[in-house]
Amino acid sequence: MLGVTPAPDAAAREAATNLERIRRLREVEQTILMRAPEHDLEPDLSRISAVMELLGDPQRGFPVIHITGTNGKTTTARLIAHLLTAAGLRVGRFTSPHLHHIRERISMGGEPISEQAFLDTFDEIATYVDLVDARSRSEGGPRMTYFEVLVAMAYAAFADAPVDVAVVEVGMGGGWDATNVADGQVAVVLPIAMDHSHFLGDTLADIAHEKSGIIKPGALVVVGAQEPDLVPILAARAEEVGARMALEGNDFGVVARSVAVGGQQVSIRGLAGDYLDLFLALHGAHQADNAAIAIAAVEAFLGGGQQPLNADVVREAFADVTAPGRLEIVRRSPTVIVDAAHNPAGAQALATALAQEFTFVKLVGVVAILGDKDAESMLQALEPVLDEIVVTRSTSPRAMSPQRLGEVAVAVFGEHRVYVVDDLPSALDRAAELADDTGAGAGVVATGSVTTVADVRLLLGAPGA
């Protein structure tokens, strides 16, 4: 009797399909990661523009709220997206960098793009990316970067979904950032500070000029608090392209805030209405400012800044918003906070929030900073709020060596307050020991880069972003 191989049952077929998807996902992620990273780029929109044109310009298929600035972009994007979702819209969100996995950057309906949609979108654009790579190489230029490919995927995925609106965070700068092939109906400019000066310029004015490039004809521009001499730069760009501008502190802003358990109570004056006694499930005065900017941006998008939002929608959205890695408590006993501050302005905002909103009897820092950052200024901002500091390195290949960071820390904190530990897991253990020596009321804060935060979240088993 001839043997007959039985057909696999449904469970076996599903398992095989899942394994193949996982294998393919790893392959695609590795293919993208092999490209030039987002900090190694040539400021030029020609490559991403060419891919978009070959795809049929999907970024024209939905309205965009475009966000630039130095710090707070990801949190503000999450706040805006949360408000729009609560208002009943299907929202695409593009942010960077990611904490744990690349799909976090492309979100729809509040969730990272699915594994299958990620693969399908890559397959959709891959041929066109190869064509543009070949053309660029033939002209002596580079291949598309890691970031450019992800931008193309995001816009293609949003068009395929489709979404009602995309909330898009720039990667770096504004005018030549790959995301700027889209035209924002609303442009958001968060506070501008020094960062990425080797690309954006050596002065705040230079950086403001570059970031103003996201302001497009007819847009409504929502501008966070800025150094006074930067406002005319942004205003000049708005006037040049016929955009309207609304300024925090003049046209909208936080009118009251107080610390609350698990966040803060805020009252905000928007462009078109007042929103009083809201619970915002985020810590820090800078997050209250981000919330005010988010409200103004959504008012601008939904009603041109002329119609107030439903107060219950705002209340619901703010009460359960999350911002992983931003003043996030990831463990108790001792309390461990992670924050992705990665430049002096971010470190100062973190220090202010720690001083105003937490009552630790002792606070130990675990700090790992990238080699191209202003570590001295970051540590000077943190010094008043940290009793002791453990310096180390994250898993990023760009991380400053613990020994070098230790030298900088000793100059700022004094030798008796600084501990140098070669690896992050051991540094976290050392910081916990130093906190435990004090007893109840001590805490640990881990900061210095997004990678530092991601590593600590993984080590402590924090829920995904």
Side-chain angles (χ1 to χ4, degrees), residues 252-277:
F252 69 93
V254 178
V255 295
R257 65 176 294 270
S258 59
V259 177
V261 176
Q264 55 191 304
Q265 292 291 132
V266 296
S267 292
I268 291 170
R269 176 169 56 90
L271 298 176
D274 293 332
Y275 309 89
L276 306 178
D277 297 323

Side-chain angles (χ1 to χ4, degrees), residues 71 99 286 325-328 330 335-354 363-370 373-375 377-383 385-386 388-396 399-400 405 413 424 427-428 431 443-457 459-460:
N71 293 307
L99 276 174
H286 60 294
R326 278 73 180 176
L327 269 170
E328 179 189 18
V330 294
T335 297
V336 178
I337 296 171
V338 294
D339 189 84
H342 58 278
N343 54 39
Q348 185 57 64
L350 170 60
T352 299
L354 289 170
L363 187 59
V364 181
V366 175
V367 180
I369 298 174
L370 301 184
K373 298 296 184 177
D374 184 356
S377 294
M378 291 175 65
L379 294 180
Q380 286 172 343
L382 294 170
E383 187 275 333
V385 298
L386 299 181
E388 294 172 301
I389 183 172
V390 182
V391 299
T392 186
R393 68 178 306 144
S394 69
T395 55
S396 171
M400 184 180 295
L405 186 55
F413 284 78
L424 187 54
L428 199 58
V444 173
V445 59
T447 189
S449 76
V450 173
T451 311
T452 305
V453 166
D455 290 347
V456 172
R457 291 180 97 256
L459 286 167
L460 297 183

Side-chain angles (χ1 to χ4, degrees), residues 10 25 123 227 367:
L25 191 66
D123 290 340
E227 295 292 332
V367 180

Side-chain angles (χ1 to χ4, degrees), residues 333-336 360-367 386-391 413 415-421 425-445:
S333 299
T335 297
V336 178
F360 295 113
V361 297
K362 178 180 182 179
L363 187 59
V364 181
V366 175
V367 180
L386 299 181
D387 296 283
E388 294 172 301
I389 183 172
V390 182
V391 299
F413 284 78
E415 188 171 2
H416 65 290
R417 295 167 64 195
V418 177
Y419 301 84
V420 179
V421 178
S426 299
L428 199 58
D429 287 343
R430 185 70 180 111
E433 291 169 359
L434 292 168
D436 285 339
D437 287 346
T438 305
V444 173
V445 59

Side-chain angles (χ1 to χ4, degrees), residues 63-139:
V64 171
I65 298 175
H66 206 176
I67 304 170
T68 190
T70 300
N71 293 307
K73 296 187 294 295
T74 297
T75 300
T76 304
R78 293 178 74 101
L79 284 161
I80 291 172
H82 218 56
L83 283 166
L84 292 168
T85 299
L89 299 183
R90 179 164 172 76
V91 183
R93 188 186 75 225
F94 180 75
T95 55
S96 61
H98 59 272
L99 276 174
H100 300 303
H101 61 80
I102 199 170
R103 291 183 297 108
E104 293 169 18
R105 298 183 181 222
I106 304 171
S107 165
M108 284 177 283
E111 297 293 334
I113 186 172
S114 71
E115 293 178 352
Q116 192 59 54
F118 185 84
L119 294 175
D120 291 344
T121 305
F122 179 80
D123 290 340
E124 177 184 348
I125 74 163
T127 299
Y128 304 111
V129 169
D130 290 342
L131 285 171
V132 171
D133 282 345
R135 183 188 307 169
S136 181
R137 284 290 183 86
S138 71
E139 297 170 351

